[in-house]
Amino acid sequence: MPRTKQDEINLPVKQSEIIQDYRLAYLSRQASIVGRREVMSGKAKFGIFGGGKELAQIAMAKVFQKGDFRAGYYRDQTFMFAIGQLSLEQFFAQLYAHADVQAEPATAGRSMNAHFATRSLLVDGSWKNLAEMYNSSADISPTASQMPRLVGLGYASRLYRELEILHQYDQFSNRGNEIAFGTIGNAATAEGMFWESVNAIGVLKAPVIISIWDDDFGISVPNDHQMVHGNISELLSGFQRKKNSSQGFDIYRVKGWDYIELIETYTQAAERCRSHHIPAIIHVYELIQPQGHSTSGSHERYKSKDRLRWEREFDCLKKFRDWIIGNNASTGEELDVIELEEREKVEDARKKSWENYINPIKKERQEALKIVRKISDSSRHSDRLVKLINQTNGIPIPLRRDIHAAVQKALMITRDEQIPERKTLIDWSEAQDALNEDRYSSHLYSQSTSSALKAPLIRPMYSEDAKHVYGYEILNACFDAALSRDPRVIAFGEDVGKLGDVNQGFRGLQRKYGELRVSDTGIRELTIVGQAIGMAMRGLRPIAEIQYLDYLLYALQIISDDLATIQWRTKGGQKAPVIIRTRGHRLEGIWHSGSPMAGIVHLVRGVHVLVPRNMTQAAGFYNTLLQSDDPALVVEVLNSYRLREKLPSNIGEFTVPLGVPEILRSGHDLTIVTYGPCCRIAMDACDLFDKVGIDVEIIDVRSLLPFDHNGLILDSLKKTNRILFLDEDVPGGTTAYMLQEVIENQGGYYYLDSEPQTLSGKPHRPAYGSDGDYWSKPNVEQIFKAVYETMNEVDPKRFPLFYKNPI
Ligand SMILES: Cc1ncc(C[n+]2csc(CCOP(=O)(O)OP(=O)(O)O)c2C)c(N)n1
C-alpha cells in the first residue's frame, strides 16, 4: 500500500525510526508479559518488569551516547534493549538466574531479574575503553540507592573536562562530554538519599539527567502519601536553574505516552547537559504499570476500577499505536504484522534462553544419577537408591541444589559400604562444589593482578637525620606525593579543601593542586561516598573523606549495598576502587569516640577495612591502595595526629601489606591481639607486666579485612598458648570477630592452655571527659587485670590477686 511520505506528514522523526520504535516498545512489553508467565509457571522465582514505561525510555535512549553512563533501577529494560546492551535472551537468562556470565553478563545470575549492568572490565579485571561503550552501572534493589553513585558518575565528566591533566585518559572520557543518566520511580523520590543526591549534583554542576518514572504509586501507596502535594516536580521547583545562572537544574514535565514531546524533551535536555553541563530533571508522568508492581501480587488489589480503566486508555503502547495510525505513519494491519513478528521473536528467545539454562543442569543430573545407578548395582540398599534416582529424575524443573541433595543422600545411604563408585561420586560432587564456589562466591574482592593483596612490599626507609614530625605531617607528605604522582587522585570531603581537613592531612594541597583535585564538600556523608563510587567507576582514584568514624554510619548503607558488592554482584564486570578515609576511636564524647568496627566489618565484606595504629602505617596503606583496584576504608587514629613520628624518606613509595599483622613486642606468656589506638595502651601496660614478671607478646592486627592471612597470630599462640583479644568496640564486637578468626578459622583452639579472653569497651557509648573515657574504654589497669587473672589461674601463688580482698 502506498505510504504517505514523512515530509508530507511533517513529523520530526523519520518514519522508519517510528516503526522501529514501535517494534521495540511492543517487543519490550511482550517480554514483560512472557516474563511474568515464566514466573507464574514456576520456571523463574520472581519477576519485576518495565511494562508501561517503554516510550520514555526509547526517547532517553535516543540521546544516550557512547561514554555515557546510566544509574537506574529495575524498570529500565526498554532502555537497555534500545541501547543494545540487553538482548532478549539475556533478559530471560537473568529471569532464570542463569549463573553463567556468557548467558547473563550483567550479574552472572547473582541478582534478581531487571538488575542491569554492562561490563566495564576485561576478563583480567582491567578496564575496557569506556568512552567507546554504552555504560550502565550495576543496579541494586534498595530504592533510590542508584542516586549517590549517580553524583560521581556525572561529576567525573566535569573533572575530565575541566582538568586538562586528565585529558590523556581518553579511555574513560572524551573531555567530559558524557552525561550520567539517572532513573528513579516516583515513590523512591521520598527517600532522603534522593534529595541529598539532587542537591549534590546541583552544587557540583554535574552533567546528569534524572528521569523520574511517575506512575502515581509505589507498590500500593499513592503519591499523596509519598510527597507533599503529590507532585514531585512541583516539589523540586526550588532546584530550578534561574535565568542566566549556571547553578540548578532545568526541570521538565512530560507525559509518558507523548512520543514526540518525549523525544523533544530529551533532545533539548541532553543538548544543554552535554554542551554546557547543565543538569536536568525530567518528570515523566501519566505512566502506568500494566502488570502491577511485580509478580508478588496483583495491582487489582489496590487500584480502583477507574484507575485501571484510565491505565488501559493511557497505556503508552496503545497511545503510540493510535498516534502512528492517526498520523498515517503505518496502518493497523501493518502494525498487527509487526506485533506478530515481535511476539515470535520473544517466544524464540525465551525458548532458546530456557534451553541454554536448563540443559546443562539436566546434564549434570544425568551425570550424577548415572554414578548413583552404578553404586546401586553393587549396593545392599539398591531399592532406596533406585527410589532416590526416580524421585530426582522426576523433578520437572531441577535445580542444582536438588542434584546436590540427592548426591549427599546417596552417599549417606551407602555410608557403610565399600563401593568404588562412591569415590567417583565424591569426586564429582567436590568438582561441582568448586564450580558453584566460582558461580556464586568469586570476585568478592579483586581477582586482578592489581589486587591490593598483590602490591609489592616496600619498607619505609629513614635517612640518618630523619625528622620527627607530627602525624598529620606524615599524611600530608604522603598525600602530596600521591597527588603529584597520579593525576587521577582526587580528594574531597567536609573541610578537606581550603582547610586541608580538620586535622590538616591535606593542608596546603588545594593551593598546590587546585580546587578540583582537593575539594570541600557539603555535609553529606552518603553522597560523599556515592560521589566516590561513581568517579571510581569512571577510572578516577577518589580519596573520599568522612570527617569522623562516628558519621560513617550515614554512608554505611551505600558502602554496604553498593560499594562492597560491585565486583561480586557483576562477577568481576565492574569495579570501584574507592578509598574512604576517616578518623576514629577514642577522643572525646559519644560522637567523637566511637569505634563501631564490628558493625562495619560485618556489613562491608567486599571492602578492605584497615585500622592503622599511627600515621606512618596509614600512609603505607594509602600507598598500597593507590596501586590497587580494591575499595577500602582506612580508619586513622584520632589522637595520633599530634604525636610525633619519624618521616620516612620514601614517603610516597613504601607500602604496608594487607592482611599481615605486626608483632609490636615479643613475649612468651600471653598474646595480646589488638589494633588502632589500643596498641599504644597495650604497650603502656607493659611497664606493669614487667613489674610482676609477665612476658606478653603484643600483635597489631592492622588490617581487619583481610585478617592475618598467613596465620602470624596462630604462630604466636603456638608459643604462648594464651590469648587476649583487645579493642574498644562493644563486647562481642570486633574482639569476637578476631577470636573467631584465630580460634576457629586458624585452628587456635588446639593450642590453648587457658580460656581465650576478650576485653572491649562497655556496651554503652563512651562518656564524655577523660574519666568518662577511662570508665568506658579499655585502659591500662583493665588490660593488666585481664592478663594477670589468666596468669593467676596458671600460677596463683606467683600471681596472687593482690587487688582483691580474700573471700
Ligand atoms: C529501601 C527500600 N525500601 C523498600 C523497598 C521495597 N520496594 C521495592 S520497589 C518499591 C516501590 C517503589 O516505587 P517507585 O519508586 O514508584 O517505583 P516503581 O516500582 O513504581 O517503578 C518498594 C517499596 C526497597 N526495595 N528498598
Side-chain angles (χ1 to χ4, degrees), residues 48 53 73-75 141-143 184-189 191 213 215 217-219 289 293:
I48 190 155
K53 318 259 176 338
Y73 79 118
Y74 49 79
R75 297 287 175 214
S141 298
T143 45
I184 186 165
N186 49 295
T189 65
E191 294 280 12
W213 309 142
D215 57 18
F217 286 86
I219 308 187
Q289 211 141 268
H293 176 75

Side-chain angles (χ1 to χ4, degrees), residues 140-272:
I140 60 179
S141 298
T143 45
S145 289
Q146 67 275 31
M147 297 299 296
R149 167 181 3 117
L150 180 66
V151 176
L153 290 172
Y155 185 57
S157 284
R158 193 170 155 214
L159 295 168
Y160 279 119
R161 180 172 291 181
E162 293 182 28
L163 282 171
E164 214 167 297
I165 198 166
L166 291 178
H167 289 177
Q168 57 187 302
Y169 297 102
D170 54 5
Q171 168 185 16
F172 297 108
S173 175
N174 176 13
R175 300 196 176 192
N177 281 345
E178 303 78 20
I179 297 175
F181 287 81
T183 69
I184 186 165
N186 49 295
T189 65
E191 294 280 12
M193 71 177 80
F194 170 77
W195 295 91
E196 188 178 315
S197 302
V198 169
N199 186 50
I201 289 164
V203 168
L204 292 172
K205 298 179 190 164
V208 165
I209 296 178
I210 299 170
S211 297
I212 300 166
W213 309 142
D214 188 351
D215 57 18
D216 293 305
F217 286 86
I219 308 187
S220 65
V221 182
N223 271 349
D224 52 2
H225 287 274
Q226 305 284 0
M227 64 208 65
V228 175
H229 306 311
N231 183 335
I232 185 62
S233 49
E234 191 183 323
L235 210 53
L236 285 163
S237 59
F239 290 96
Q240 174 72 53
R241 185 170 64 96
K242 302 210 166 56
K243 212 171 165 208
N244 299 326
S245 164
S246 67
Q247 205 172 61
F249 288 77
D250 285 346
I251 299 180
Y252 303 86
R253 272 173 65 76
V254 54
K255 295 187 184 73
W257 46 264
D258 191 331
Y259 176 66
I260 295 299
E261 206 185 322
L262 281 164
I263 293 175
E264 285 171 352
T265 304
Y266 275 94
T267 306
Q268 185 181 342
E271 205 287 310
R272 285 192 191 164

Side-chain angles (χ1 to χ4, degrees), residues 46-104:
F46 171 80
I48 190 155
F49 303 104
K53 318 259 176 338
E54 291 89 353
L55 279 202
Q57 293 180 23
I58 286 173
M60 183 167 115
K62 284 184 194 294
V63 296
F64 194 85
Q65 295 185 3
K66 286 187 177 159
D68 288 350
F69 260 86
R70 162 188 171 277
Y73 79 118
Y74 49 79
R75 297 287 175 214
D76 292 346
Q77 68 190 51
T78 312
F79 172 78
M80 295 302 292
F81 285 137
I83 62 166
Q85 297 306 308
L86 176 71
S87 70
L88 272 174
E89 282 171 36
Q90 290 164 353
F91 170 90
F92 284 111
Q94 196 177 48
L95 189 67
Y96 303 137
H98 192 161
D100 178 339
V101 80
Q102 303 304 327
E104 203 279 85

Side-chain angles (χ1 to χ4, degrees), residues 386-499:
V386 169
K387 194 171 161 205
L388 178 68
I389 291 167
N390 291 339
Q391 265 170 358
T392 311
N393 252 334
I395 298 171
I397 303 173
L399 292 165
R400 287 198 165 93
R401 51 187 272 181
D402 300 321
I403 307 167
H404 184 84
V407 166
Q408 281 291 104
K409 241 185 213 162
L411 291 172
M412 193 181 281
I413 291 169
T414 56
R415 65 189 180 280
D416 57 350
E417 295 186 307
Q418 303 291 326
I419 302 168
E421 281 79 13
R422 284 188 88 257
K423 181 182 178 311
T424 316
L425 192 60
I426 291 170
D427 287 347
W428 185 89
S429 175
E430 284 176 357
Q432 293 301 317
D433 284 346
L435 289 174
N436 287 317
E437 178 70 17
D438 173 66
R439 273 188 194 113
Y440 300 111
S441 303
S442 73
H443 293 90
L444 184 56
Y445 293 92
S446 167
Q447 296 186 190
S448 79
T449 50
S450 305
S451 152
L453 303 183
K454 295 178 188 151
L457 174 63
I458 302 171
R459 294 186 193 284
M461 295 192 301
Y462 296 94
S463 60
E464 273 182 18
D465 56 348
K467 282 193 284 183
H468 279 78
V469 298
Y470 286 125
Y472 78 83
E473 292 175 293
I474 302 259
L475 287 176
N476 194 260
C478 165
F479 293 139
D480 190 0
L483 285 157
S484 129
R485 186 177 61 230
D486 187 346
R488 298 167 309 156
V489 173
I490 309 281
F492 52 92
E494 296 154 19
D495 301 292
V496 167
K498 198 163 186 186
L499 189 65

Side-chain angles (χ1 to χ4, degrees), residues 460-462 469-472 474-475 478 612-623 640 644-648 650-651 654-656 702:
M461 295 192 301
Y462 296 94
V469 298
Y470 286 125
Y472 78 83
I474 302 259
L475 287 176
C478 165
R613 68 179 178 278
N614 60 31
M615 300 310 160
T616 307
Q617 293 285 311
F621 278 139
Y622 290 123
N623 290 337
S640 282
R644 288 189 186 271
E645 297 174 31
K646 235 173 18 166
L647 180 66
N650 58 346
I651 185 69
F654 79 95
T655 56
V656 170
R702 303 202 287 190

Side-chain angles (χ1 to χ4, degrees), residues 508-613:
L509 298 183
Q510 183 180 71
R511 213 173 322 117
K512 189 165 175 186
Y513 295 97
E515 287 189 13
L516 290 174
R517 299 285 307 283
V518 181
S519 331
D520 286 319
T521 66
I523 305 174
R524 49 175 182 82
E525 289 75 13
L526 170 71
T527 52
I528 287 173
V529 172
Q531 182 177 333
I533 296 172
M535 288 165 62
M537 283 180 145
R538 293 192 61 193
L540 296 170
R541 296 308 315 253
I543 302 177
E545 178 173 318
I546 300 298
Q547 202 161 74
Y548 294 100
L549 176 62
D550 307 75
Y551 309 134
L552 188 81
L553 268 60
Y554 276 55
L556 194 54
Q557 180 268 335
I558 215 68
I559 299 173
S560 179
D561 284 328
D562 198 359
L563 182 61
T565 64
I566 286 171
Q567 291 233 25
W568 177 84
R569 73 178 190 263
T570 56
K571 203 181 183 198
Q574 295 187 5
K575 62 182 173 182
V578 166
I579 297 176
I580 301 169
R581 173 188 183 223
T582 189
R583 52 185 73 84
H585 317 301
R586 70 181 69 202
L587 188 70
E588 288 300 351
I590 300 181
W591 287 284
H592 298 83
S593 251
S595 188
M597 294 312 302
I600 294 165
V601 159
H602 294 312
L603 283 168
V604 307
R605 302 292 162 97
V607 174
H608 295 310
V609 178
L610 311 174
V611 279
R613 68 179 178 278

